[in-house]
Amino acid sequence: MTILVSGGAGFIGGNFVLDWLVQHDETVVNLDKLTYAGNLDTLQGLRGNNRHVFVHGDIGDRELVSDLLSMHRPRAVINFAAESHVDRSIHGPGDFIQTNIVGTFNLLEAVRGYWDGLAEDEKQGFRFLHVSTDEVYGTLSKDDAPFNELNRYEPNSPYSASKAASDHLVRAWHHTYGLPVLTTNCSNNYGPYHFPEKLIPLVILNALSGKSLPIYGDGQQIRDWLYVRDHCSAIRRVLEAGKLGETYNVGGWNEKPNLEVVHTICAILDELRPKADGSRYSDQITFVRDRPGHDRRYAIDARKLERELGWRPAETFETGIRKTIAWYLDNQDWVRNVTSGAYREWVGKQYEVEL
Ligand code: NAD
Ligand code: DAU
């Protein structure tokens, strides 16, 4: 059996592929465009593993996706591929519209064509799982209840609007064409292989290299944090037992203001890697101009996933953040390649387009 994963050279997709190949005996076809966020170093341990087939390509390339589907005949497609960084979506929304909306549309159409042609039993067993975000629900004030699956969509950034649009397309392909879809809406992930434009890896790496730790606005914005491998286990569970056409919120029950997250990282680094001059990493904290349209609070009610499918996260923020910091300290080659830009020199590496 085979699954097709898109965006599997990114942060969450990469963790998902690595975990999947340990836990299952199925093959993974990994389709990734290798944008700045795609990093083949993350998949280095899979070289020579014939159950991992890497394909360099775009989810928006319908012909390529259709060929891959008819060649590998996957029993499921899991769509991680996206432009994912809110700040980039503010500076340049075009790629977000192209990949997150038009790309998802083309992927859905290719998958629909493949699924239509399957034999009845294969058709029944097939799944399209769309990986989405809690940001589609907009922002909460301090005393609001956490987002559940019935909350209205009120996206506020070009990124979240493009993800919301993709969720609507996935929903419509189920209701109109019967495509067997599942959607997950997850909170902020953190963990190994996270690209250092996002808060947690940026703070760890800036702290270690003596740079400032930029806090947007007053730093009191709240996010719910989930260790990435817990997100991967939730996706596996939804794929296995989720009800067709349903959406599942995924969260860590770990709401924290940004400033507290940054202070926690600094305190752990003070302990694990004390500075030679005796100063504290928190001395590097700098308050900077706020992100335009910055959502104040996200919080996830993940009780549906627990009640219906028995999923709960394994990590607390305290255990997950220690593992994450230790990973960045122990994986200097990955860090060096990502910060120098060397990770982009993927041409000529062993991976090739599989067509
Ligand atoms: P990421 O930016 O680290 O990785 C995205 C990957 O998709 C990269 O490997 C990139 O090369 C690839 N990609 C981009 N455009 C593509 C295209 N047109 N065709 C094929 N591949 C393409 O993102 P991430 O943080 O791993 O997020 C993965 C998914 O999970 C996204 O859909 C994101 O919206 C969603 N999500 C992320 C978080 C989070 O905290 N990071 C939380 C909830 C949901
Ligand atoms: O909620 C899920 C979303 O989480 C995902 O859908 C997105 O793909 C993912 O990027 C993430 O979005 P955020 O905007 O919440 O993540 P980011 O790491 O960019 O920022 C986290 C918080 O920290 C946010 O309130 C902005 C703030 N921040 C961020 C950076 C990069 C800072 O204060 N300083 C910074 O330098």
Side-chain angles (χ1 to χ4, degrees):
M1 297 281 246
T2 297
I3 61 166
L4 189 147
V5 165
S6 70
F11 165 48
I12 305 173
N15 276 284
F16 182 86
V17 169
L18 292 170
D19 281 356
W20 184 272
L21 288 167
V22 172
Q23 305 203 354
H24 290 256
D25 54 10
E26 292 173 311
T27 294
V28 176
V29 178
N30 183 351
L31 170 66
D32 197 293
K33 189 179 175 182
L34 294 177
T35 67
Y36 79 93
N39 186 344
L40 287 178
D41 286 346
T42 299
L43 305 170
Q44 210 167 25
L46 301 179
R47 293 239 176 117
N49 183 335
N50 59 14
R51 287 196 298 120
H52 178 236
V53 180
F54 184 78
V55 181
H56 178 215
D58 193 323
I59 55 165
D61 183 343
R62 208 185 295 183
E63 205 184 316
L64 169 71
V65 177
S66 299
D67 286 350
L68 285 173
L69 292 169
S70 50
M71 183 187 294
H72 294 283
R73 307 192 62 74
R75 69 165 177 97
V77 171
I78 303 162
N79 182 29
F80 292 91
E83 290 293 337
S84 71
H85 190 36
V86 174
D87 292 331
R88 284 181 190 257
S89 82
I90 295 167
H91 293 294
D95 287 346
F96 289 72
I97 305 303
Q98 203 51 45
T99 282
N100 300 0
I101 306 180
V102 182
T104 302
F105 159 67
N106 280 307
L107 181 64
L108 282 166
E109 279 296 83
V111 170
R112 182 164 77 90
Y114 166 69
W115 177 75
D116 267 340
L118 290 176
E120 206 43 51
D121 58 329
E122 290 173 318
K123 237 177 153 169
Q124 296 265 331
F126 184 82
R127 297 288 180 270
F128 179 91
L129 191 151
H130 181 60
V131 180
S132 192
T133 172
D134 60 358
E135 299 201 13
V136 298
Y137 297 119
T139 188
L140 293 169
S141 31
K142 214 159 174 254
D143 300 323
D144 286 339
F147 300 128
N148 66 45
E149 289 79 359
L150 300 176
N151 273 74
R152 271 174 55 175
Y153 270 34
E154 292 181 338
N156 292 320
S157 72
Y159 163 69
S160 54
S162 68
K163 289 297 290 186
S166 70
D167 292 9
H168 291 323
L169 292 175
V170 171
R171 177 189 163 90
W173 261 240
H174 175 67
H175 283 274
T176 305
Y177 304 112
L179 194 69
V181 308
L182 298 155
T183 298
T184 54
N185 293 87
C186 188
S187 59
N188 285 59
N189 285 215
Y190 66 100
Y193 307 111
H194 204 180
F195 191 76
E197 63 185 351
K198 309 279 171 71
L199 180 71
I200 288 183
L202 180 113
V203 164
I204 297 171
L205 298 185
N206 276 17
L208 291 170
S209 55
K211 295 185 186 152
S212 68
L213 311 179
I215 306 286
Y216 297 168
D218 63 2
Q220 293 308 316
Q221 304 83 3
I222 292 172
R223 296 291 181 267
D224 169 59
W225 293 97
L226 181 68
Y227 190 65
V228 61
R229 295 185 66 185
D230 279 330
H231 187 187
C232 295
S233 75
I235 292 170
R236 290 196 300 273
R237 186 67 193 131
V238 172
L239 184 65
E240 183 175 61
K243 257 170 76 185
L244 294 187
E246 295 274 316
T247 66
Y248 294 89
N249 281 0
V250 187
W253 305 104
N254 285 308
E255 275 185 66
K256 309 260 177 224
N258 293 338
L259 197 55
E260 184 183 323
V261 168
V262 174
H263 274 292
T264 302
I265 296 170
C266 290
I268 297 173
L269 284 173
D270 284 335
E271 178 194 322
L272 299 181
R273 229 6 105 80
K275 291 211 264 182
D277 65 3
S279 66
R280 306 211 151 258
Y281 286 103
S282 55
D283 297 342
Q284 292 166 227
I285 289 175
T286 314
F287 288 86
V288 301
R289 196 162 60 89
D290 207 354
R291 172 187 278 173
H294 200 168
D295 285 337
R296 198 68 185 163
R297 173 175 169 238
Y298 303 142
I300 278 276
D301 178 345
R303 283 179 297 177
K304 176 179 175 186
L305 187 51
E306 179 169 2
R307 196 175 53 244
E308 295 186 8
L309 304 184
W311 176 88
R312 266 193 79 82
E315 303 291 344
T316 62
F317 187 70
E318 288 64 34
T319 58
I321 195 68
R322 275 194 178 266
K323 282 189 180 173
T324 303
I325 293 172
W327 186 88
Y328 278 91
L329 292 173
D330 292 345
N331 286 273
Q332 284 302 310
D333 285 348
W334 189 92
V335 167
R336 231 185 331 272
N337 281 348
V338 95
T339 45
S340 70
Y343 76 103
R344 299 221 65 192
E345 292 158 17
W346 47 265
V347 180
K349 289 196 181 179
Q350 268 169 322
Y351 296 100
E352 278 168 19
V353 177
E354 243 282 305
L355 273 179

